[in-house]
Amino acid sequence: LKSLSILLIIVIIMWGLLGVRLFAGVYPSNWEADADFDSIERAALSLFVLLTTENYPQCMNPALDVSQWSVLFFWTYFFVA
């Protein structure tokens, strides 16, 4: 259980860093959802919430406005994590 938790934290940090690199500044400042990728802390929190599939479409839609390929970011995260 301990090693699985460490692995999950590593995955969240890796995808969080990639999310900050790809999607920083994409989400509007008046964004209602808690998901954004402006800092590694917010990205990690957003990705942790996405593990529960709580607001997956709301989080993905602004990123899809940047590129249709951004869906790969979210799908690979969902299947790896």
Side-chain angles (χ1 to χ4, degrees), residues 61-74:
N61 285 340
L64 286 175
D65 292 339
V66 173
S67 171
Q68 294 296 322
W69 289 100
S70 62
V71 74
L72 288 175
F73 172 82
F74 292 100

Side-chain angles (χ1 to χ4, degrees), residues 2 26 32 38 49 55 59 70 79:
K2 181 179 176 182
V26 170
E32 296 172 356
D38 288 336
V49 170
N55 58 351
C59 183
S70 62
F79 289 116

Side-chain angles (χ1 to χ4, degrees), residues 22-69:
L22 294 174
F23 307 121
V26 170
Y27 293 80
S29 59
N30 61 352
W31 185 242
E32 296 172 356
D34 289 332
D36 70 36
F37 291 91
D38 288 336
S39 67
I40 185 62
E41 296 86 9
R42 297 289 299 171
L45 178 63
S46 300
L47 291 170
F48 183 74
V49 170
L50 286 176
L51 279 176
T52 65
T53 65
E54 176 66 30
N55 58 351
Y56 222 81
Q58 293 173 343
C59 183
M60 218 169 38
N61 285 340
L64 286 175
D65 292 339
V66 173
S67 171
Q68 294 296 322
W69 289 100

